[in-house]
């Protein structure tokens, strides 16, 4: 039996565990799931053999090292900041490791030790980061293999609500950490490359510089720029590319409405409001508007943002019950972002039978034989229910497939890495297709930013 | 002879030194001026007796302690962060100390030692902070002494160019540290009190929520909110006040134009632009606008900010030569704020014979015998030339007057303090009047924020 230790059985581990249990007989796997809270794992596992669930506190060195020692490979599904102690144990006891998280500086520092011990430390193998790396590199490598030269790469991902569960005016519900949604885009200007020029968008303009994307069968989306589009420029081998842009997808109209919160300062997470506990939703909104003895909060809000009487954006704010003077914030000394999150949770929480959706859109522009070409690739995954979500599927399946591939020696190049090599992405993308995670590629005419060549 | 040590003879020490030299005979003063660069001090002193100029490096403990030991009182005109070592020496050798800087936590920590040694450590006795404290507390104390209850306090200060030197469309030139002007308002929402309600303005709205102020003989100004209007609420004894607002004054129209830089992200000081050294002014502007193969930077700029063809704000940007493709940024790896500062310095640097101006405006609202009253107090000081500036006058004179008053035992309450007690402000404000620094007070009808009482 090959022993797999999974640390952390949270929201995103349903498909991971199911995949490994389904393969446990044919692949001769024994799975140990360690978590602080064993209840969720018990629910996911049911009465399956080949698995045991243990109480595991990752900060308790003794129980952690015992668990790591006993495994052949360790999958950490903990939040990124908790990986490092596990990773050090994996070096000490010579175990492979898999995570879906960004490579931290501390993790990267283990690269030489991992190589020296012949260990694969695979990271960023979930969704954004993960499937985006693999699907992008597959096409980029194909273009290069036929002699093409990359001139444009744009990549967009969205975690959204599925069309059948899309029941509000924002066309949005929280399918992942709400806090990340509220503070998205903060902390510095978004930076990207357009036709060889560096471009910068400050936070206060981010949600007004969106672009539209059409996904066959799913209609129109919009996307705003990620903080650092250039993060993988070097890693992807795109040093001389002219256009490089990464963004986050929403349904059309979301960003223009969200921008209102940004403009008023309601997404600020850098200070607390003293008397937030006694505030109504209406009071909260009013704190960002000038005092008036006569004018309504509604009119001050419209005036400050120049929202016309017949602008449909207005209904979005009414739907959130933003001007309610009875609903209380309740939170003590909360930041504006925390209060806004609470208000949004009233409206944007998934219902019991709601489904989520992951959408991805890549554009690859390249030159071949002095002609410009473009390939667009799209992927849509819809969740089954609130346990088997699209998010859990697109995070958990690549993690699971990589774990078995490492055990089977199909992925064997040692070191701290992300899935950008053929050795890694080819078998994983192929197997993902059998689970319905499919990229539709099509040749389109190259548009770039100068379609008329003026 | 009473010995005064002045450390730092920069831009703001001309009036300070002149005052003390003028009084040196009658008051029996000997002045030592210590600076890293003795040239500026030599120019200011001329051939006066009762003064010697020494080379002094404040980080050289030996020369510093020798100088402090030899003095009866020490005036530090260094930047605020350099005061603390001098202050510690003053405790050790039992010397009084005067600065025009904000009280740092380190400085405040010396309070008990200062009291134990009977030493006056006077701070914030320049202009904003300084003259604003004194002039405000004088009126607030008068209102309280006659039984009034403060309900509103608003205070505005501006460092501007004098009307006779006001020659550009922004009605602004740099009369002090340009960097502080470029990054003004950054680092968190502006917070204040309006009619009992906490109000918050995010940076991206700060320059669009100005109010107008009329100063007799000088016309109209506008003001935007300071970061923390509540900073002195407790110190001034205004704990239950309904409206508390502090702001910065500019000429009308400045803020609306400045907001364009804020919106585009050109005031950001948190990241550097890689190829800034090779950028023209036009390239710099273009970095904050979308790529287009055809549209001009000018039209993209107008479109992004919704600036109509006939909007007079446009001429302000043309005046700065913002769209010039020949003028180069030159700075290496500069932040947007650093580049903008360079561009502005081309247009906003004082000419040889330009004069500066300090403007202050206080509004005091109070209740007395169930009636509401208001006193408005304004002060305008215009500089004489580029050495004897209004800034140097309003910073240096109160520092100088306080220094002599401490030597003469007129100011004697020991401890780390700011000038908010009658003992301190009464003699200083009185003497400032003889130098033309005069507050004009007038009773006006109370307006508050509800003039019609609706």
């Amino acid at each position: 039996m090959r022993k797999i230790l999974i640390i952390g059985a949270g929201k995103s581990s349903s498909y991971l565990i199911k995949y490994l249990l389904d393969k446990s007989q044919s692949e001769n796997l024994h799975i140990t799931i360690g978590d602080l809270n064993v209840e969720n794992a018990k629910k996911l596992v049911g009465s399956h053999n080949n698995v045991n669930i243990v109480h595991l506190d990752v900060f308790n060195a003794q129980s952690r090292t015992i668990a790591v020692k006993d495994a052949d490979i360790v999958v950490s599904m903990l939040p990124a900041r908790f990986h490092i102690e596990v990773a050090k144990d994996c070096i000490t006891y010579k175990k492979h490791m898999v995570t879906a998280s960004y490579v931290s500086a501390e993790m990267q520092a283990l690269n030489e030790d991992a190589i020296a011990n012949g260990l694969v430390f695979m990271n960023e193998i979930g969704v954004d980061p993960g499937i985006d790396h693999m699907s992008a590199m597959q096409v980029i490598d194909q273009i290069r293999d036929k002699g093409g030269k990359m001139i444009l790469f744009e990549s967009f991902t969205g975690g959204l609500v599925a069309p059948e569960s899309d029941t509000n005016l924002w066309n949005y519900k929280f399918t992942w950490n709400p806090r990340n949604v509220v503070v998205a885009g903060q902390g510095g200007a978004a930076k990207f490359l357009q036709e060889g020029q560096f471009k910068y968008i400050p936070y206060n303009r981010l949600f007004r510089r969106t672009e539209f994307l059409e996904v066959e069968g799913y209609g129109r989306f919009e996307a705003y720029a990620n903080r650092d589009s250039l993060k993988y420029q070097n890693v992807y081998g795109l040093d001389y590319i002219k256009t490089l842009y990464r963004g986050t997808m929403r349904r059309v109209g979301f960003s223009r409405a969200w921008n209102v919160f940004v403009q008023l300062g309601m997404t600020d997470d850098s200070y607390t409001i003293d008397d937030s506990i006694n505030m109504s939703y209406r009071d909260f909104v009013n704190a960002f508007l000038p005092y008036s003895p006569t004018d309504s909060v509604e009119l001050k809000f419209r005036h400050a943002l120049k929202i016309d009487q017949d602008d449909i954006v207005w209904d979005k704010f009414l739907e959130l019950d933003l001007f309610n003077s009875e609903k209380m914030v309740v939170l003590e000394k909360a930041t504006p972002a925390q209060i806004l999150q609470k208000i949004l949770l009233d409206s944007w929480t998934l219902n019991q039978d709601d489904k989520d959706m992951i959408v991805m859109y890549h554009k690859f522009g390249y030159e071949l034989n002095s002609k410009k070409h473009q390939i667009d690739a799209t992927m849509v995954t819809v969740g089954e229910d609130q346990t088997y979500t699209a998010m859990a599927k697109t995070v958990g399946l690549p993690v699971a497939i990589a774990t078995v591939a490492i055990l089977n020696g199909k992925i064997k190049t040692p070191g701290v890495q992300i899935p950008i090599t053929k050795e890694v992405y080819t078998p994983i993308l192929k197997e993902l297709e059998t689970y319905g995670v499919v990229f539709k590629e099509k040749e389109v005419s190259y548009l770039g930013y100068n379609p008329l060549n003026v």
Side-chain angles (χ1 to χ4, degrees), chain A:
Chain A
M1 298 286 258
R2 283 97 59 88
K3 293 180 184 166
I4 300 172
L5 170 64
I6 299 171
I7 306 181
K11 258 182 158 180
S12 55
S13 35
S14 57
Y15 274 99
L16 163 68
I17 291 169
K18 185 173 186 317
Y19 177 97
L20 293 175
L21 292 180
D22 287 351
K23 300 258 172 185
S24 61
Q25 213 135 17
S26 63
E27 292 283 351
N28 203 22
L29 307 174
H30 183 270
I31 297 129
T32 300
I33 304 172
D35 203 321
L36 260 181
N37 173 356
V38 298
E39 291 313 312
N40 194 46
K42 277 185 185 161
K43 248 185 283 171
L44 288 174
V45 163
S47 59
H48 208 284
N49 299 326
N50 301 338
V51 60
N52 67 315
I53 299 167
V54 298
H55 179 273
L56 182 63
D57 175 359
V58 78
F59 294 111
N60 180 320
Q62 202 191 350
S63 67
R64 191 186 66 229
T65 53
I66 288 171
V68 170
K69 246 170 153 167
D70 191 47
D72 295 304
I73 188 165
V74 179
V75 179
S76 176
M77 297 297 281
L78 299 168
R81 62 190 182 283
F82 300 143
H83 293 324
I84 189 65
E85 294 306 322
V86 177
K88 286 177 184 165
D89 289 345
C90 285
I91 296 288
T92 307
Y93 302 109
K94 305 201 194 314
K95 313 294 180 184
H96 302 294
M97 183 169 181
V98 182
T99 87
S101 307
Y102 288 104
V103 176
S104 64
E106 286 171 307
M107 182 68 84
Q108 187 58 48
L110 300 177
N111 184 42
E112 283 182 29
D113 287 337
I115 291 171
N117 289 288
L119 300 173
V120 178
F121 271 36
M122 182 63 68
N123 303 276
E124 305 191 15
I125 190 155
V127 70
D128 199 2
I131 291 179
D132 52 330
H133 289 326
M134 295 189 283
S135 53
M137 284 309 299
Q138 188 168 56
V139 177
I140 291 170
D141 283 342
Q142 282 163 6
I143 288 168
R144 285 190 185 130
D145 288 350
K146 64 184 173 188
K149 183 186 153 211
M150 288 290 295
I151 53 175
L152 173 147
F153 176 58
E154 299 188 2
S155 178
F156 308 91
T157 305
L160 296 160
V161 66
E164 53 263 55
S165 307
D166 186 347
T167 55
N168 69 37
L169 293 174
W170 293 74
N171 306 118
Y172 189 81
K173 295 180 185 177
F174 289 123
T175 61
W176 202 239
N177 189 343
R179 186 186 148 73
N180 292 350
V181 176
V182 175
V183 302
Q186 293 184 27
K191 182 179 179 182
F192 57 97
L193 265 173
Q194 259 181 339
E195 293 286 322
Q197 297 177 1
F198 287 112
K199 296 290 184 183
Y200 305 88
I201 309 179
Y203 178 57
N204 63 287
R205 301 264 313 154
L206 189 63
F207 296 95
R208 297 307 294 124
R209 296 235 335 233
T210 55
E211 58 176 283
F212 292 144
L213 295 164
E214 213 62 52
V215 179
E216 213 184 299
Y218 291 87
R220 216 175 217 200
F221 297 82
E222 65 187 17
Y224 63 84
N226 288 355
R227 280 280 304 290
D228 185 5
S229 284
L230 311 184
K231 192 171 174 188
Y232 296 101
Q233 181 170 20
N234 184 264
V235 173
Y236 285 11
L238 301 175
D239 281 354
Y240 298 100
I241 201 160
K242 288 201 153 180
T243 296
L244 189 52
Y245 185 99
R246 289 158 50 94
T248 298
M249 290 170 85
R250 294 285 180 259
R251 283 294 187 178
V252 172
F254 179 95
S255 302
R256 190 168 82 91
W258 185 261
N259 180 56
V260 168
F261 297 140
V262 173
Q263 293 306 312
L264 287 177
M266 291 166 74
T267 61
D268 199 324
D269 202 39
S270 71
Y271 68 92
T272 58
I273 291 182
D274 282 347
D275 56 349
S276 59
I277 197 161
N278 294 313
M279 271 183 164
S280 67
Y281 289 9
R282 188 179 188 85
D283 293 335
F284 172 62
V285 175
N286 199 21
F288 302 99
L289 297 167
Y291 173 84
S292 163
T294 49
D295 302 324
S296 66
V297 178
E298 285 86 348
L299 190 63
K300 291 190 294 182
F301 188 96
R302 279 183 183 272
H303 173 256
L305 281 313
K306 299 192 170 64
I307 300 172
D308 284 331
Q309 188 65 23
D310 57 355
D311 190 330
I312 56 165
V313 80
W314 184 249
D315 290 336
K316 290 196 173 72
F317 302 110
L318 292 184
E319 189 186 72
L320 297 176
D321 220 359
L322 212 56
F323 303 102
N324 192 317
S325 58
E326 309 284 319
K327 282 195 191 166
M328 302 302 285
V329 165
V330 181
L331 305 170
E332 203 177 334
K333 293 207 179 184
T335 66
Q338 287 165 343
I339 298 171
L340 179 60
Q341 179 179 329
K342 189 204 150 102
I343 294 172
L344 296 174
L345 278 167
D346 291 352
S347 299
W348 292 359
T349 299
L350 291 165
N351 288 322
Q352 201 58 37
D353 48 0
D354 275 347
K355 296 174 184 174
D356 72 329
M357 174 170 75
I358 298 284
V359 189
M360 210 170 273
Y361 199 120
H362 298 308
K363 297 183 187 179
F364 307 88
Y366 62 100
E367 265 179 21
L368 182 64
N369 305 326
S370 308
K371 275 197 182 151
K372 286 176 178 162
H373 303 266
Q374 184 168 327
I375 295 168
D376 281 13
T378 58
M379 184 277 286
V380 179
T381 298
V382 174
E384 292 173 40
D385 54 38
Q386 287 237 42
T387 301
Y388 293 93
T389 62
M391 187 70 85
K393 187 172 186 175
T394 49
V395 172
L397 283 184
V399 168
I401 296 167
T403 301
V404 175
I406 293 166
L407 283 177
N408 289 339
K410 280 193 208 162
I411 297 174
K412 57 183 180 225
T413 307
V416 174
Q417 59 192 282
I418 66 173
I420 52 168
T421 60
K422 287 179 188 173
E423 173 191 83
V424 178
Y425 67 66
T426 308
I428 295 178
L429 286 174
K430 204 168 166 194
E431 193 170 343
L432 278 174
E433 289 197 0
T434 68
Y435 288 88
V437 180
V438 182
F439 278 82
K440 287 189 190 168
E441 291 174 21
K442 59 176 178 188
E443 290 269 354
V444 299
S445 47
Y446 180 81
L447 287 173
Y449 287 89
N450 193 0
L452 305 174
N453 206 26
V454 284

